[in-house]
């Protein structure tokens, strides 16, 4: 009869990984900040960071933590921390058109996203990480959301200006919004990306929206 070696450390690691997974499921990120309510998890994550950063943590464990959005470089201004909250917002809403005032678990994720849109020193890796969440993240949030509402309404560029977004979005007026975009285009207030997105919708022109 074969006897399996009992490894208390491995059992404890798996137990805490379950705790981390539950937290991630509930919050969408792995950045517990309440040191009273989540003291055990905060302490455990701290203990994983040093060996993880030194390449001393088993790669399988690194992979398991990465899948939960582990923040390996932990400090208040870390880019990784902001990205973790942005990813959590994306999981909830499907986009990164985050109003600047929005907070997630007391983290100002909206203000962080505004800084990313205004930044001119993002690395290629950072930009790629945001692109993988939402290719439209560079757009002004209100425009981003309205464009998505247009797509959800069928992406139709013709029809009465007062038509609605349908049963799913009766408050949205695609025609009215498109007329505003025509004027913005004329006034050269649209970015190249905004113009390209509208042009890609069946060759949008200023004459396509009728009264």
């Amino acid at each position: 009869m074969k006897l399996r070696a009992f490894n208390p450390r491995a059992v404890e690691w798996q137990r805490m990984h379950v705790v981390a997974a539950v937290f991630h499921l509930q919050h969408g990120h792995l950045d517990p900040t309440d040191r009273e309510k989540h003291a055990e998890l905060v302490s455990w994550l701290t203990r994983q960071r040093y060996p993880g950063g030194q390449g001393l943590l088993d790669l399988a464990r690194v992979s398991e933590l990465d899948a939960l959005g582990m923040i390996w470089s932990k400090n208040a201004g870390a880019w990784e921390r902001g990205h973790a909250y942005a990813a959590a917002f994306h999981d909830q809403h499907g986009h990164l058109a985050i109003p600047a005032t929005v907070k997630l678990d007391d983290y100002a994720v909206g203000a962080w996203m505004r800084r990313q849109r205004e930044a001119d020193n993002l690395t290629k890796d950072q930009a790629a990480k945001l692109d993988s969440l939402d290719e439209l993240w560079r757009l002004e949030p209100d425009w981003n959301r309205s464009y998505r509402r247009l797509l959800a309404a069928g992406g139709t560029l013709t029809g009465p200006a007062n038509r609605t977004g349908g049963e799913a979005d009766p408050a949205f007026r695609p025609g009215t919004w498109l007329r505003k975009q025509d004027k913005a285009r004329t006034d050269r207030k649209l970015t190249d990306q905004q113009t390209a997105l509208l042009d890609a919708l069946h060759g949008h022109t200023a004459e396509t929206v009728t009264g």
Side-chain angles (χ1 to χ4, degrees):
M1 184 176 77
K2 293 183 179 180
L3 296 177
R4 291 185 178 180
F6 178 71
N7 187 335
R9 290 186 178 181
V11 172
E12 176 62 10
W13 199 95
Q14 290 302 326
R15 183 184 73 82
M16 287 306 303
H17 178 263
V18 171
V19 174
V22 170
F23 182 93
H24 181 267
L25 182 64
Q26 294 174 340
H27 297 266
H29 60 81
L30 195 57
D31 184 38
T33 56
D34 189 332
R35 293 183 176 274
E36 293 185 4
K37 186 177 181 180
H38 304 293
E40 185 181 40
L41 180 57
V42 170
S43 177
W44 182 76
L45 290 173
T46 299
R47 294 198 302 274
Q48 307 313 303
R49 287 192 179 98
Y50 178 77
Q54 298 298 313
L56 302 175
L57 191 62
D58 184 83
L59 291 180
R61 292 183 175 181
V62 171
S63 179
E64 289 183 43
L65 289 173
D66 279 341
L68 299 179
M70 177 65 173
I71 303 171
W72 294 104
S73 175
K74 184 69 169 65
N75 60 72
W79 192 91
E80 291 82 1
R81 188 182 187 205
H83 176 263
Y85 279 93
F89 184 94
H90 178 271
D91 287 345
Q92 295 176 16
H93 302 279
H95 60 76
L96 292 182
I98 312 174
T101 57
V102 167
K103 290 186 177 182
L104 188 60
D105 290 338
D106 291 327
Y107 182 82
V109 64
W112 184 83
M113 274 306 308
R114 180 179 61 189
R115 292 195 296 274
Q116 307 318 302
R117 289 193 298 273
E118 297 173 351
D120 57 6
N121 61 344
L122 290 180
T123 67
K124 289 184 178 180
D125 182 60
Q126 290 171 338
K129 286 182 177 180
L130 292 173
D131 284 340
S132 69
L133 294 174
D134 178 1
E135 292 183 349
L136 307 183
W137 67 269
R138 293 177 179 83
L139 296 173
E140 190 278 326
D142 285 342
W143 200 96
N144 187 336
R145 288 191 295 272
S146 293
Y147 176 74
R148 291 175 184 279
R149 294 172 80 178
L150 175 68
L151 295 182
T156 304
L157 302 181
T158 59
N162 64 349
R163 70 186 186 278
T164 71
E167 294 183 4
D169 194 3
F172 183 53
R173 296 290 188 273
T176 300
W177 185 75
L178 283 168
R179 279 192 165 184
K180 291 180 180 179
Q181 305 319 303
D182 288 334
K183 185 177 187 307
R185 181 197 293 258
T186 300
D187 295 340
R188 299 182 182 278
K189 293 182 178 180
L190 293 182
T191 66
D192 290 343
Q193 185 182 16
Q194 289 170 328
T195 299
L197 288 169
L198 292 173
D199 285 343
L201 294 177
H202 313 300
H204 173 72
T205 66
E207 292 76 28
T208 56
V209 181
T210 64

